[in-house]
Amino acid sequence: LMSTQLSRQMILLNQNDKMLDDLYHSYAVSVHLSDSVLWVLYILWTEGDGLTQKEICDAWYYSRQTLNTCLKHLEKEGYIRLAPLEGNRKSKRVLFTEEGHAFAEKIILPLLDAENASLDRMTPEEQECLITLVHKRTEFLRAELFHAGTTGKI
């Protein structure tokens, strides 16, 4: 049985995770985008466009179906184009159009500014500690869930 203290800590961590999700969701709503479309713009802006759909799915844990839906929407709006990879007709690179780059800049830069300013309020040591502990918690949970046999994807 989990101790009351440990249980309370998990509740606080999960509430914080939910609060972070809600902050990003509220931002997406404020700029009239779905969460997934916001994140796809964020990924393309921060990682540089030209990634393949598979690279985005693998690095950011999106299902192919979700990503495909977002990309179709962004393509229909004229914000991205899908360019076939040389020597691999199945795989496509995701590229901003000129209009898409300007749109993403307007949407993503204020979000990045807020993220960077929030991290900047911490000391470099606190930033490093936060990143290390968040990764550690995620990896430990992944291992425990895998060990429990509850999911095959991780």
Side-chain angles (χ1 to χ4, degrees), residues 21-85:
D21 287 347
D22 190 60
L23 288 171
Y24 284 100
H25 172 72
S26 294
Y27 185 77
V29 168
S30 78
V31 294
H32 311 289
L33 294 175
S34 71
D35 293 10
S36 298
V37 169
L38 174 70
W39 279 110
V40 169
L41 290 174
Y42 183 97
I43 292 162
L44 294 175
W45 186 267
T46 57
E47 305 239 354
D49 66 352
L51 294 173
T52 64
Q53 292 163 276
K54 182 180 179 353
E55 288 169 335
I56 294 170
C57 288
D58 291 350
W60 288 83
Y61 301 93
Y62 273 100
S63 72
R64 290 181 94 83
Q65 187 177 2
T66 298
L67 182 62
N68 233 6
T69 302
C70 293
L71 294 178
K72 278 189 190 344
H73 171 77
L74 289 168
E75 193 174 31
K76 195 180 108 207
E77 296 291 324
Y79 294 144
I80 61 152
R81 65 187 179 81
L82 300 174
L85 269 182

Side-chain angles (χ1 to χ4, degrees), residues 22 27 30-31 45-46 48 52 68 76 92 94 99 107-108 112 120-121 124 132 150:
D22 190 60
Y27 185 77
S30 78
V31 294
W45 186 267
T46 57
T52 64
N68 233 6
K76 195 180 108 207
K92 291 188 170 64
V94 183
E99 186 183 351
I107 300 291
I108 301 304
L112 289 175
D120 205 37
R121 293 172 74 171
T132 300
T150 54

